[in-house]
Amino acid sequence: MPHDTPLIATIVAGLGLAFVFGALANRFRIPPLVGYLVAGVLVGPNTPGFVADAGLANELAEIGVILLMFGVGLHFSLKDLLSVRAIAVPGAIVQIGFATALGAGLAWMLGWSMGAGLVFGLALSVASTVVLLRALQERRMIETERGRIAVGWLIVEDLAMVLALVLLPALAGVLGGQEQAHASGLLSLPASYGIWGVVGITLAKVAAFVVVMLVVGRRVIPWILHYVAHTGSRELFRLAVLAIALGVAFGAAKLFGVSLALGAFFAGMIMSESELSHRAAEESLPLRDAFSVLFFVSVGMLFDPFSLISNGWPILATLAIIVIGKSLAAFAIVVAFGYPIATALIISASLAQIGEFSFILAELGVGLKLLPEQGRDLILAGAILSIVLNPLMFLAIDWMKPWLERRAARTAPPVEAKPVGPATEPGQVASVAATTKKEDGPPPKTALTGHAILIGYGRVGGLVGSALKDAALPFLVIEDADKTLAKLKADSVEAVAGNAANAEVFAAANPEGASRLILAIPNAFEAGQIVLRARAANPGINVIARAHSDAEVEHLKGLGADTVIMGEREIARGIVEEVLGSKPELRRETAEPSVA
Ligand code: AMP
């Protein structure tokens, strides 16, 4: 090499190997993130061969965290955040307390100091943003009530950790470590302020950041977006979105001592109020995905596979605290607040892992001579194993849910079905057709037979639906966007809420008894899955699907769709009809692959 290029080497090795191992994992039906972690172990210092720069990899991973939290903010409004505070705040606090106590117990058994136990326990109590968001995104749950609770819970944990990171250096002396002003910039506070002084100043800074965002950000950010959108340049718009997301996150961390993730979340939340937020989300997506992969690679790099042998039982105990202890605490508190079992299970599973914040705490603890090196190794091993196990946790809850629900039904009188009110109201079991909330267990099955099932009620499905209604044909809609569901309810059209590719949701539409399936969703892969499901339930059902390319037409026909309408072709037909004034004969057949 002509000169040293560690950043390029790290990005190339990270993304390249992550791709290879992600694809391999996918081939063996393992979640790709396991592949990313393996790629990380391979480029890490603990295995022979090429070693990437861990510091750089960490910073790249931070960008992934920023973009992820920014994306969450874009889908989150202040109202959503406040609507889950009743459960998220006590939930997170109780869970942190419980996990910290367990961690301190293990530390005590290992003969560590009290301070070590505290740092260790705190590190085990905070879940990874990236892992949680990935899991929720994969299941399309970010915008459901369960997703909101999980994200709100995570934000409370994040705030608690911001506090812990500031307080630990100040308290290190008291806890038996080495007193030092660790943090840099405005974050470093002289210990002479006393504990409460430090807490007060930290909270004041967080509050100042929030106020600045609400007062200044709320005006400036939408204005910038609108201005750039009017220039008509896609590139500039994309740049504006990235500059705002990264800029606010960085500023929040440097000026206000708020975590990067929290800063990015606020930037997204402010942007979500602009009608351009949709485009902003789209523009940041590809980078977000690439950088969140680097996150997993950088975690893998920290891992020493040989520590598994030398630290056998302490690692198992650590893992048990993360996966079992934390889950039980979260489950108990969510159920105690009167939420359905399904919600409690999802929250437990999504938080049953640790990640980036735990590493930061562990590093700080070791630096302050509070935590022995062994503690950091345990935290790392616990993180890796819990991240790998996390998808299995979700499988496990799918498997446990019916059993737990049956038990709960036997021991407690059934909760009466009430119409859905504000999302804050706990203890609610949502009910019937159009008002079914997707987060409250399987939706009830429709009474319709001989009906049409219309999937998606957007630009296409909406028009199809009103035509069916005018023709007085019986039909119901499966739709997963809350806004559209509200519209369906207003139009008093029967609807099942949720992703139609989900077995329970689809079954609620009674496919066995239906005569027709109309797929009015733009995603042909999802539509394909639904076609397969429908054919399995009812071989005679007539399937009409929507596509946007010749390849999609073939894909859907191959899976058993009877008729596939290609959107672009119909647009062309409309245009030609307008020009020629007659019903046009379009030459290229849709099913033929386009040969230029
Ligand atoms: P449009 O492209 O405007 O016709 O909108 C498509 C509609 O389908 C939107 O309202 C989406 O919320 C909805 N949709 C997309 N995928 C699914 C799915 N898998 N299950 C249920 N609804 C969906």
Side-chain angles (χ1 to χ4, degrees), residues 140 455-462 478-481 484 496 498-502 520-523 526-527 530 546 548:
R140 304 177 58 125
I455 313 238
Y457 202 71
R459 292 161 302 176
V460 175
I478 305 184
E479 173 57 65
D480 72 349
T484 318
V496 177
N499 183 350
N502 174 306
I521 56 175
N523 183 329
E526 241 171 17
I530 302 168
R546 156 183 174 188
H548 295 282

Side-chain angles (χ1 to χ4, degrees), residues 144 158 237 248 254 318 421 480 506 551 589:
T144 66
D158 241 25
F237 186 82
V248 171
K254 283 285 167 239
T318 308
D480 72 349
F506 189 66
E589 273 305 310

Side-chain angles (χ1 to χ4, degrees), residues 144-200:
T144 66
E145 189 191 12
R146 283 171 203 172
R148 278 196 284 270
I149 295 176
V151 173
W153 190 301
L154 187 86
I155 285 168
V156 178
E157 285 192 353
D158 241 25
L159 281 171
M161 289 307 132
V162 169
L163 209 58
L165 288 182
V166 181
L167 286 181
L168 274 179
L171 294 179
V174 190
L175 293 169
Q178 191 179 54
E179 207 153 329
Q180 80 183 66
H182 170 90
S184 58
L186 293 175
L187 245 178
S188 56
L189 296 166
S192 57
Y193 282 120
I195 300 177
W196 295 113
V198 175
V199 173

